Amino acid sequence: QVQLVESGGDLVQPGGSLRLSCVASGSIFSINTMHWYRQAPEKERELVATITSYGITQYAESVKGRFICSRDNAKNTTYLQMNSLKPEDTAVYYCNADVRATARPSYRQYWGQGTQVTVSS
């Protein structure tokens, strides 16, 4: 069984910073690409950032230059450093990862439960 657990969400003022973490645990053989998504109230879930196992990153236009995604492969963890936060960044942030579990022949996607980020004065 594989689990993803996010943490780090909080209430922060506009212009502030937060660092989200996502830890994968369980019977993991390897992790390929990891992603951060977010979903604001009454909006569709959107892809925010992607990081490959080699550390190559891609970002949504709305967060480029403000968010930095990184990972620690030894800890099965990905991070999302969010700077210059805006009210429109308010959302539940979800971690998603392509994981190959031990004794499994292929990768499948797993989701975390989400962590709330609220940007408000």
Side-chain angles (χ1 to χ4, degrees):
Q1 190 74 308
V2 174
Q3 286 186 321
L4 300 182
V5 179
E6 303 98 332
S7 62
D10 205 345
L11 169 64
V12 62
Q13 291 188 345
S17 297
L18 279 177
R19 189 192 194 208
L20 305 183
S21 300
C22 171
V23 181
S25 63
S27 301
I28 296 171
F29 180 78
S30 66
I31 302 176
N32 197 355
T33 306
M34 304 183 83
H35 314 265
W36 286 97
Y37 286 78
R38 67 185 180 187
Q39 187 165 20
E42 301 181 359
K43 291 190 175 181
E44 292 189 357
R45 191 171 295 190
E46 65 168 337
L47 179 62
V48 175
T50 294
I51 185 165
T52 71
S53 57
Y54 296 102
I56 298 171
T57 54
Q58 288 185 310
Y59 300 94
E61 285 297 324
S62 59
V63 307
K64 271 184 183 177
R66 299 189 297 122
F67 289 12
I68 301 171
C69 185
S70 61
R71 67 190 280 174
D72 184 335
N73 290 332
K75 296 181 179 180
N76 291 334
T77 300
T78 182
Y79 306 96
L80 187 66
Q81 176 67 42
M82 305 187 295
N83 302 317
S84 302
L85 283 161
K86 305 175 182 179
E88 51 264 43
D89 294 318
T90 295
V92 178
Y93 283 71
Y94 296 92
C95 178
N96 170 279
D98 302 321
V99 181
R100 180 179 170 187
T102 54
R104 296 278 185 176
S106 60
Y107 288 85
R108 61 157 284 191
Q109 287 199 354
Y110 292 84
W111 288 90
Q113 82 291 348
T115 185
Q116 176 70 47
V117 172
T118 303
V119 184
S120 175
S121 54

